[in-house]
Amino acid sequence: MSDKENQDRPNRAATVGIHGRSPGGRIPGSPVVSPIVQSATFHWAKPEDGDLLYSRYGNNPNQLEVGQKIAALEGTESGIVLGSGMAATAMVFLALTEAGDHIVASSHLYGATRSLLLDELPRRGIETTFVDPDVDQGWRKALRPETQIIHIELPTNPTLRFFDPRPIAQLAKEKGITLTCDATFGSPVNFRPSDSGIDVVIHSATKYLSGHSDLIAGAVAGSEDVINQVTLMSRLYGPVLDPHAAWLLDRGIRTLDARMTRHNENALLLATWLSEQAGIQTVIYPGLATHPDHVLASELMVGWGGMVSIVLEGGGAAADHFIGKLELVTAAPSLGGVETLVSQPRYTSHAGLTATERDAWGIPDGFVRISVGIEAIDDLIIDFAQALEAIRL
Ligand SMILES: Cc1ncc(COP(=O)(O)O)c(C=O)c1O
C-alpha cells in the first residue's frame, strides 16, 4: 500500500492494529496468528547464512513484528520494543547523547523519567534543564549549543495537561535538535506525535498498548536512523522484551482501537458525572470545557483519553478513605488496562517530590488519579457514588 493510500484509508489505527502495515500472506495452512518464537538463538554458522538472529539483539520474529506494527501505528519509519517504558526512555537518552551533552525537558514528567534526568544522567556527564511549558520562550532560552534532545510528555501524568508541541518541533528543527515525546497517556489512537513534527515517540507499552495490566514493556518509534541507534544501545545494555511478552503485546494491540474508543467514552461520562458531585474540589479531564487545554486537546487529540484526575475536598485523609471504600475499582499504580484503577501520585509516581513541590505542580494532597477502564459505566458510577457518599458521612 502506498503512503497516500494508507492515509486515505478510514479506521487506520483499527486496521493497522490488527494487520500491521500490510495483511499477512495467503499461504494455505499458514497460521492467522504468528506463533511465539520462544527461542534465544537461531541456527547460524557463517555470514552467508543471512542475518544473525539472537533475541537480545531485538531481532527475534515476535520483537520485530510488534516493533513494526507500533511504527505503522505511529506513522514512523521504524520501531523497537524494549523491556519496559523506562528502558525505552533510558535507551533513547543514552543513544542520542554523550558526556558533555545537554537535554531540555518539560517539568511535567513521569517521576522516574525526572529522576533519570535529574539524578542518574548527570553521573554520566549529561545535564538537563527543566522548562515549565507554560512559560513563554522557555524552551528557546533553555537551549545550549550542546543541547541534543528536547523531551516532553503529552498528555502529562497525572495533571493531564496538553500543551502545543508544534512550536517546540519547529524550534527543534531549526536548531537540529531531536524532539522526543513520551506519549503513553494518549496511545497512538488518540494522539500521534509524528503528525505534530515530533521526531521520536516513547511509550510505556505496559499501559494502553498492551492494555491488560499483564506485562511490562516499552516501545520507541522514529526514523530508521534513531531506531538503529536505540537498537545498538539496547544490544549493549540488554533491556530487551522477551518473545512471549512481545507476542502478548501484539495481541493487546489488536484491540487497541476498540479499547481506546470505550476508554474515551467511559472517561468523558465519568468526568462529567464527577463534576456534578459534592465533595470534589476539581475534576481534571481534557474533554471538559473547564480544562485549561480543552481547545488544543480537542484539536490535536482524536479522543481525550481514559485518564481522569480529581482533587477531593478533604485532602489526603479523604483520598485514603475514598479509595478504601471502593469495591469494584481497584487501588493500584499503573494505568491503561481494561480494569479501572485508582492511585494517589503522592504515594506513587510523585512520591519523590515534597508536598510543597507537588502543590506547585497542581498535585495537592487529595489528588486521585483514575485510569478509567472499559467496564459498564453504570457499574463504575455506582461504585464511585457509594465511596463518595461514605466519605461525606
Ligand atoms: C508516562 C509514563 N512514562 C513511562 C512510564 C514507565 O513505564 P514502565 O513502568 O513500563 O517502565 C510510566 C509508568 O507509569 C508512565 O506513566
Side-chain angles (χ1 to χ4, degrees):
M1 222 183 296
S2 71
D3 279 354
K4 176 79 180 83
E5 280 167 325
N6 241 335
Q7 278 160 14
D8 289 347
R9 284 171 76 88
N11 291 328
R12 201 172 177 283
T15 310
V16 171
I18 295 167
H19 297 289
R21 274 201 217 270
S22 56
R26 294 288 183 272
I27 303 162
S30 62
V32 170
V33 175
S34 302
I36 306 173
V37 185
Q38 194 70 43
S39 187
T41 189
F42 297 80
H43 293 291
W44 191 93
K46 50 188 178 324
E48 295 83 70
D49 289 346
D51 284 346
L52 189 155
L53 303 190
Y54 183 56
S55 294
R56 197 194 77 241
Y57 282 16
N59 54 16
N60 172 294
N62 298 114
Q63 296 164 338
L64 289 175
E65 186 174 346
V66 69
Q68 283 158 9
K69 186 179 274 189
I70 290 169
L73 281 169
E74 290 292 358
T76 61
E77 265 176 12
S78 190
I80 181 174
V81 288
L82 292 162
S84 69
M86 282 314 298
T89 306
M91 291 305 106
V92 167
F93 291 165
L94 288 177
L96 300 181
T97 57
E98 56 189 38
D101 283 344
H102 176 244
I103 296 174
V104 173
S106 164
S107 55
H108 292 255
L109 288 183
Y110 172 62
T113 306
R114 184 178 160 82
S115 300
L116 178 68
L117 291 166
L118 201 63
D119 308 322
E120 172 57 17
L121 290 185
R123 298 193 327 124
R124 301 175 197 287
I126 301 151
E127 273 186 39
T128 297
T129 303
F130 290 94
V131 168
D132 181 342
D134 284 330
V135 172
D136 214 26
Q137 295 295 311
W139 300 103
R140 189 175 286 276
K141 283 186 202 143
L143 295 182
R144 297 183 195 162
E146 59 273 20
T147 307
Q148 298 297 335
I149 296 176
I150 301 180
H151 180 70
I152 59 175
E153 193 176 299
L154 280 179
T156 64
N157 175 18
T159 46
L160 311 178
R161 293 296 311 271
F162 196 96
F163 50 88
D164 198 344
R166 293 167 298 187
I168 312 171
Q170 247 170 23
L171 174 67
K173 201 165 182 196
E174 176 195 320
K175 301 284 182 188
I177 294 168
T178 307
L179 176 59
T180 62
C181 176
D182 181 333
T184 299
F185 266 48
S187 92
V189 171
N190 283 334
F191 171 57
R192 276 208 337 179
S194 66
D195 294 340
S196 297
I198 290 165
D199 301 303
V200 180
V201 190
I202 299 170
H203 280 282
S204 167
T206 313
K207 320 297 187 199
Y208 287 113
L209 288 175
S210 69
H212 295 76
S213 305
D214 53 7
L215 63 94
I216 298 285
V220 185
S223 67
E224 195 97 44
D225 179 41
V226 166
I227 298 305
N228 285 343
Q229 293 179 61
V230 172
T231 305
L232 191 66
M233 227 15 71
S234 151
R235 287 180 182 193
L236 295 177
Y237 283 85
V240 289
L241 191 62
D242 179 78
H244 184 230
W247 184 89
L248 273 177
L249 175 56
D250 188 84
R251 187 173 71 161
I253 292 174
R254 279 179 233 154
T255 56
L256 176 68
D257 189 83
R259 284 186 285 107
M260 290 316 301
T261 303
R262 178 67 162 255
H263 282 297
N264 292 340
E265 281 169 12
N266 272 3
L268 179 60
L269 289 168
L270 184 69
T272 307
W273 178 83
L274 287 166
S275 325
E276 292 155 1
Q277 306 310 306
I280 303 176
Q281 192 181 304
T282 321
V283 179
I284 304 167
Y285 185 63
L288 296 179
T290 49
H291 189 280
D293 308 317
H294 174 66
V295 174
L296 184 68
S298 306
E299 185 190 340
L300 292 187
M301 295 182 82
V302 172
W304 290 300
M307 301 301 296
V308 176
S309 294
I310 55 174
V311 182
L312 292 170
E313 271 169 11
D320 288 340
H321 191 185
F322 172 71
I323 287 178
K325 288 288 173 189
L326 290 167
E327 290 168 4
L328 174 67
V329 172
T330 307
S334 201
L335 63 120
V338 290
E339 66 289 297
T340 300
L341 298 179
V342 290
S343 62
Q344 294 188 64
R346 68 184 174 130
Y347 293 153
T348 56
S349 55
H350 293 73
L353 300 182
T354 63
T356 316
E357 282 172 323
R358 282 195 299 268
D359 269 349
W361 287 28
I363 316 171
D365 288 357
F367 192 111
V368 178
R369 191 186 76 176
I370 307 168
S371 171
V372 185
I374 62 170
E375 299 96 335
I377 186 64
D378 289 347
D379 291 329
L380 294 177
I381 288 181
I382 289 170
D383 198 27
F384 281 116
Q386 65 78 24
L388 280 172
E389 182 61 25
I391 65 168
R392 282 197 293 260
L393 291 177

